[in-house]
Structures are given as structure tokens and as C-alpha cells.
Amino acid sequence: MTMETLSENKSYNGTQGVYKHTSSETGTEMTFAVYVPDHPEGFTMPVLWYLSGLTCTHANVMEKGEYRRYCAKHGIIFVAPDTSPRGDNVPDDEAFDFGKGAGFYVDATQEPWAKNYRMRSYVEKELPELIAANFPADMERQGITGHSMGGHGALTIALRNPERFRSVSAFAPIVSPLNCPWGDKGLPGYLGDDKALWREYDAVALIEDGARLPELLVDQGTADNFLEEQLRTPLLAQACDKAGIDATIRMQDGYDHSYYFISTFMGDHIAWAAERLKK
Amino acid sequence: MTMETLSENKSYNGTQGVYKHTSSETGTEMTFAVYVPDHPEGFTMPVLWYLSGLTCTHANVMEKGEYRRYCAKHGIIFVAPDTSPRGDNVPDDEAFDFGKGAGFYVDATQEPWAKNYRMRSYVEKELPELIAANFPADMERQGITGHSMGGHGALTIALRNPERFRSVSAFAPIVSPLNCPWGDKGLPGYLGDDKALWREYDAVALIEDGARLPELLVDQGTADNFLEEQLRTPLLAQACDKAGIDATIRMQDGYDHSYYFISTFMGDHIAWAAERLKK
């Protein structure tokens, strides 16, 4: 499992790196960012996955997410994958919310997307193996979070793999692609028209179908333009309530959908993860 | 003194704004960023100026500087101007280190630069008046900092106006344009070949010529590619030592010239300013 180092910069006494490898899942080169706090030789640390939103790459959270201070403090490795396959040979769409930058963390079954758009398997299987092989990561202690489409990714991946993640949170997640225009557009494109097949990519439907997490944390800004139509936070609150999932869903007054919101609450999410990722 | 609001986002309970106005100094529209912490009606707060480096606009530090957490904590307004005049009618140079994005905080005297490249007067006079008129700023309590070319700006502006700034610091500043290739290129272009006229734009020369500050803080990464040839930190240390200026100059092991370095030490610089800007 080879990878290439694109850049490494010292920050908060640790190393912010950007790396590239050839993915067998997507059939493309994939770039990702990893922050590793300063640590003694031979020491391993828990891993917090951060999945990004529509249009983003690994770079947005790396530049604007303000996580390094907290990861350094708590001794947590922070991994930020890209949001889709990239490259001239990868099919794309003109819209910002489908195709490149908009992989929705699914394994596509429809042409022409099926070959490359395998972000579910990439994030669930291939990238964790690469991280385990190349970084001082304790893979028995993983947490996951994400923003918007990446919040959807974090919730659905955790609901399908509850044994893997001790900590689950999200910033302004899309909670139910079955019930929003972004889902109505992206999921038939990648998965076809049979909505029964979309349910494993929908946090609310997964909970309705029996998936469980002990607890989760969600922050959602009240001034987020996407809240009512796309994100639909109340559907998650209702599903968790009905299922007995201890969901801490905080409506944050006056915050929007941007990294100005995410960075404000990043410290809380990393502290939440740290508490649950302790040995 | 009118200005236009381009954006305002809530962050760390305060407001990160971007604003535009027509500058009489530069003869252009100028964009700048201001972060105002949450505060009671009628309350005023001290102001910390941040001057950016070559190629930057107001946006780099706004996105990558990680200052809002600390400004919110200490109750400090953070102002980030642009680094040069902008616009199709403004003369430019193909190089990254002269012309747009490279105003060097001077008032140019040479053609074709003299009309627009008046960043000294813009930052020293015009923008402070605009800030005082439009934000809850206590202009009796100002501090200044900056990075690289902006560190040069912060040091030289403070040395020429020591009564105005209670707090002075810099990240990886150019300490002596008279003694580095960036200065050798930029200063004759803007100011002509008489090096005696450059001395008011050179922190080391200002100190040699009698300018004094009670103290200053500088952080400089040891892995900064520009350290030896362009930044020349030891010249500042020597000048301060000779002049009896209490200079805290910290060589930070393994840090480079990037915002990964700046953000790491931003909290220290804002705490330094906060201590000196208290009522």
C-alpha cells in the first residue's frame, strides 16, 4: 500500500500532511490530508475521520477547519479524504451537486458512474487500510464526523458500522437524502430509481430499518440557508427519539453553513470524540 | 466615510465581516476584513491590526489565521487590510513580489506607482478613520502585527508611530528591506534609487536612526525558506539589542513560512496584544 507525500508542514507541534495514492476502488489517484500530532516514537493515537461537503476536497477543512489545535491537545490523528474521484477520465456533471466533488459516499451502480464513484468502499475499506499501514494510528479507536454531504457520510457510515466508531458527530448534515432535492438528484443518478436501494445511504431510513448508535452529536446553524429544504435536521431528531438513540442535536443561533460555523464548534466535536476515544 | 458590506458571517459568537470602500489614498476600491466579537450595546473594544504578506489579500488570514477564537476570548477587534491597490486601472508587474499584492506598505513616489500605491497612508490614516467611524473600536487601544511583508509593515508603522500602538508583534517579518532581494527590487521601484529615502521603510534602519518601541514579539520558523536571504531576523535582534528595545524573538524549531506556522502561534500573539490592550 504505497502512497506519495505531496506536502508536510509543521503545525501545532505536529505534522499536517497531504498524500496521494492510486485507489483500486475508484480507479484513480486520490489525495487526502492527515494531521498527526507530535508523539513519542512507537506511540499510536486514535483516528478521527472528517468527511467534507459538496464541492470540497481534502483542502477546505485543512485550511479553514481549525482542528489542529484540538487534535494536538487531545492526541488525535485527523484524516480528511476527498469527496469524489478526480481526473480527466472520470465522468462528471456540470452541476455542483452531482459528479466530481459530490460523491455522496455511495458505491454507484449506474453507468457511467459505477466504475469510479465508489466513495463508500473507498472511505469504509481502502483508505482505512492505507492509514493503518502508514500512520501511527490505533484503528481500534476511531471516530467520525463530517459536514453537510460529509455529515450524511459520517452518519450513514457509522450507522452501517457501529462497532467501528466509538464517536459519531456531524456539522449541518444532510440527514435524509430520500427527503431532499440533493438526494432526489444524486441518488437516482448513482443508484437508480428504486428507492429501496437508497435506504442504506440515508441516516433516517437506516435508523428506521433498525440501525443503532449509542449516541451522536450534531450542530446545526439556524441561519443555514439549506436547513429547511436540504438538511432537514428535525427528521433525524424524530428518528433518534423514536429509536432511543441519545442524540445531542444543538440548534446554534445565527450560524450559517460555512466554515465560520464549523470552526466555531470544531473544538466541541473533537472534545466529544476525545472523551470517547480515550483508552 | 461610507462603506459597503460584502459579507458577514457569525463565528465564535462574533461577526466576521468583509467590507469595501472607495479609498481616496489609493484612488481605488479597497476591500478589508474585520472581526468583531460579541459585545454589549455601546461597548467598545481594542483593535488589533494584521498586515498580510506578499500575494495575499484580506482573505488569507481570514480563512487560515485561526484568530477568531482568541479575539472572541479577549474581546479584540481584528482588522485585515489588503496588501495593495487593486483594479484594472492600477499598474502592475508580472512578478509576485512587486505591484499588486506587494504594496510593501509604502507611499510610492515613482511613476507609474505614485498615484495608487499609497498603502502607508492608507493603513496609517485612512483605514483607521473608517474603522473608528464604523465599528465599536476604542482607537486609544491599538495593537499591530503582520506576516512577512506585513510583519515589515507592522514593525515600520509601529516604529514611526510608537504612541499609537500599545502592542507590536510580527510573524516571520522582513526586518530590513535595505538588506534583502525583496527590498532591492521593491523599494527602488516605488521610492527611487536614493537609499536614504528607504530608511523610513526599514525596521532596522528606523531603530538605527533613533526610533524606539518599549518591546516587541517576533516568531520566526527555523525551516522558513526565506529566513536567511529575505527575512534576516538576526539583524533585528542585533538592532534591538543595541538600542535597548526589549525584543522577544523566538526561533521556532521546524516551522516554515506558511499559515500552518502563523496559526500555531496566533494565540500567543493575540494574548500578548490582549495583555497590553487591557484598560
Side-chain angles (χ1 to χ4, degrees):
Chain A
M1 306 212 66
T2 58
M3 62 174 207
E4 179 187 343
T5 300
L6 298 181
S7 65
E8 288 187 334
N9 300 78
K10 186 169 180 179
S11 193
Y12 289 95
N13 266 324
T15 302
Q16 177 63 63
V18 179
Y19 309 94
K20 187 170 78 171
H21 71 125
T22 300
S23 165
S24 56
E25 288 292 349
T26 67
T28 64
E29 291 198 321
M30 293 293 286
T31 301
F32 59 96
V34 181
Y35 178 69
V36 179
D38 195 23
H39 60 281
E41 181 84 28
F43 198 76
T44 62
M45 289 168 282
V47 175
L48 180 61
W49 294 85
Y50 178 92
L51 304 184
S52 294
L54 287 167
T55 76
C56 291
T57 69
H58 67 283
N60 303 67
V61 71
M62 184 175 78
E63 295 173 352
K64 302 177 183 176
E66 303 192 12
Y67 56 81
R68 283 176 288 272
R69 170 190 164 83
Y70 306 103
C71 288
K73 175 182 171 187
H74 295 293
I76 293 176
I77 294 173
F78 190 97
V79 181
D82 203 346
T83 55
S84 77
R86 307 277 176 182
D88 293 343
N89 296 326
V90 173
D92 196 11
D93 186 275
E94 287 183 4
F96 77 95
D97 53 4
F98 190 63
K100 291 181 190 173
F104 276 90
Y105 307 99
V106 305
D107 283 349
T109 58
Q110 305 298 299
E111 296 306 330
W113 314 99
K115 180 181 173 197
N116 305 114
Y117 284 77
R118 297 185 52 78
M119 290 301 291
R120 172 185 177 164
S121 291
Y122 177 70
V123 171
E124 282 187 6
K125 295 179 197 162
E126 187 176 18
L127 191 54
E129 289 174 19
L130 192 73
I131 297 296
N134 288 282
F135 296 91
D138 177 355
M139 302 304 279
E140 298 300 311
R141 294 186 289 153
Q142 294 184 60
I144 192 165
T145 187
H147 172 234
S148 194
M149 177 183 76
H152 144 77
L155 294 174
T156 55
I157 290 171
L159 283 161
R160 291 194 306 263
N161 302 278
E163 72 295 345
R164 187 185 302 177
F165 300 101
R166 291 198 203 172
S167 166
V168 181
S169 77
F171 302 87
I174 300 169
V175 308
S176 182
L178 278 159
N179 291 290
C180 75
W182 279 335
D184 284 340
K185 178 171 184 181
L187 295 199
Y190 293 131
L191 302 173
D193 291 329
D194 181 357
K195 290 196 174 185
L197 301 177
W198 303 9
R199 295 182 68 82
E200 60 186 312
Y201 297 111
D202 183 300
V204 167
L206 281 162
I207 294 169
E208 287 172 355
D209 293 348
R212 291 293 179 269
L213 294 170
E215 55 182 353
L216 55 85
L217 169 65
V218 167
D219 277 309
Q220 173 61 55
T222 64
D224 185 327
N225 289 334
F226 301 115
L227 172 54
E228 284 196 27
E229 190 181 11
Q230 302 280 13
L231 307 175
R232 308 207 60 186
T233 320
L235 294 180
L236 179 67
Q238 290 156 21
C240 288
D241 194 42
K242 199 168 168 188
I245 294 175
D246 183 8
T248 301
I249 298 178
R250 310 190 301 189
M251 301 303 292
Q252 301 288 4
D253 184 51
Y255 286 90
D256 62 22
H257 200 62
S258 71
Y259 272 93
Y260 297 109
F261 154 70
I262 298 170
S263 59
T264 300
F265 298 103
M266 183 61 83
D268 287 358
H269 285 243
I270 294 177
W272 167 281
E275 180 62 29
R276 287 154 184 81
L277 296 174
K278 280 192 298 198
K279 265 197 177 156
Chain B
M1 307 213 63
T2 59
M3 63 175 207
E4 180 187 343
T5 300
L6 297 181
S7 65
E8 289 188 334
N9 300 77
K10 187 169 179 179
S11 193
Y12 290 95
N13 266 324
T15 302
Q16 177 63 63
V18 180
Y19 309 94
K20 188 171 77 171
H21 72 124
T22 300
S23 164
S24 57
E25 289 293 349
T26 68
T28 64
E29 291 198 323
M30 292 294 286
T31 301
F32 59 97
V34 181
Y35 177 69
V36 179
D38 196 22
H39 59 283
E41 180 84 29
F43 198 78
T44 62
M45 288 168 283
V47 175
L48 180 61
W49 294 85
Y50 178 92
L51 304 184
S52 294
L54 286 168
T55 76
C56 291
T57 68
H58 67 283
N60 303 66
V61 71
M62 183 174 78
E63 295 173 352
K64 302 179 183 175
E66 304 192 13
Y67 56 81
R68 283 175 289 272
R69 170 190 164 83
Y70 306 103
C71 288
K73 174 182 172 188
H74 295 293
I76 294 176
I77 294 173
F78 190 97
V79 181
D82 203 346
T83 55
S84 76
R86 306 277 178 182
D88 292 343
N89 296 325
V90 172
D92 196 10
D93 186 274
E94 285 183 7
F96 77 95
D97 53 4
F98 191 63
K100 290 180 190 174
F104 276 90
Y105 306 100
V106 305
D107 283 349
T109 58
Q110 305 298 299
E111 297 306 334
W113 314 99
K115 180 183 172 194
N116 304 115
Y117 284 75
R118 297 186 52 78
M119 291 301 292
R120 170 184 178 166
S121 291
Y122 177 71
V123 171
E124 282 189 5
K125 296 180 196 160
E126 186 177 18
L127 190 55
E129 290 174 20
L130 192 75
I131 297 297
N134 288 281
F135 295 91
D138 178 356
M139 303 303 280
E140 299 300 310
R141 293 186 289 152
Q142 293 184 60
I144 192 164
T145 187
H147 172 235
S148 195
M149 177 184 75
H152 144 77
L155 293 174
T156 54
I157 291 172
L159 283 161
R160 291 194 306 264
N161 302 276
E163 72 296 344
R164 188 185 300 177
F165 299 101
R166 291 198 203 172
S167 164
V168 180
S169 77
F171 302 86
I174 301 170
V175 307
S176 183
L178 278 159
N179 291 291
C180 76
W182 280 333
D184 283 340
K185 176 171 183 180
L187 296 197
Y190 292 132
L191 302 173
D193 291 330
D194 181 358
K195 290 195 175 186
L197 301 176
W198 303 9
R199 296 183 69 82
E200 59 185 313
Y201 296 111
D202 183 299
V204 168
L206 281 162
I207 294 170
E208 289 172 354
D209 294 348
R212 291 294 179 267
L213 293 170
E215 54 182 352
L216 55 84
L217 169 65
V218 167
D219 277 310
Q220 173 62 57
T222 65
D224 185 329
N225 289 333
F226 301 115
L227 171 55
E228 282 195 30
E229 188 181 12
Q230 301 281 12
L231 306 175
R232 307 208 61 185
T233 321
L235 295 180
L236 179 66
Q238 289 156 19
C240 288
D241 193 43
K242 199 168 168 188
I245 294 174
D246 184 8
T248 302
I249 298 178
R250 310 190 302 188
M251 301 305 291
Q252 301 288 4
D253 185 51
Y255 286 90
D256 61 22
H257 201 62
S258 72
Y259 271 93
Y260 298 109
F261 154 69
I262 299 171
S263 59
T264 300
F265 298 103
M266 183 61 82
D268 288 357
H269 285 242
I270 295 177
W272 167 280
E275 181 63 28
R276 287 153 183 82
L277 296 173
K278 281 192 297 198
K279 264 193 178 162

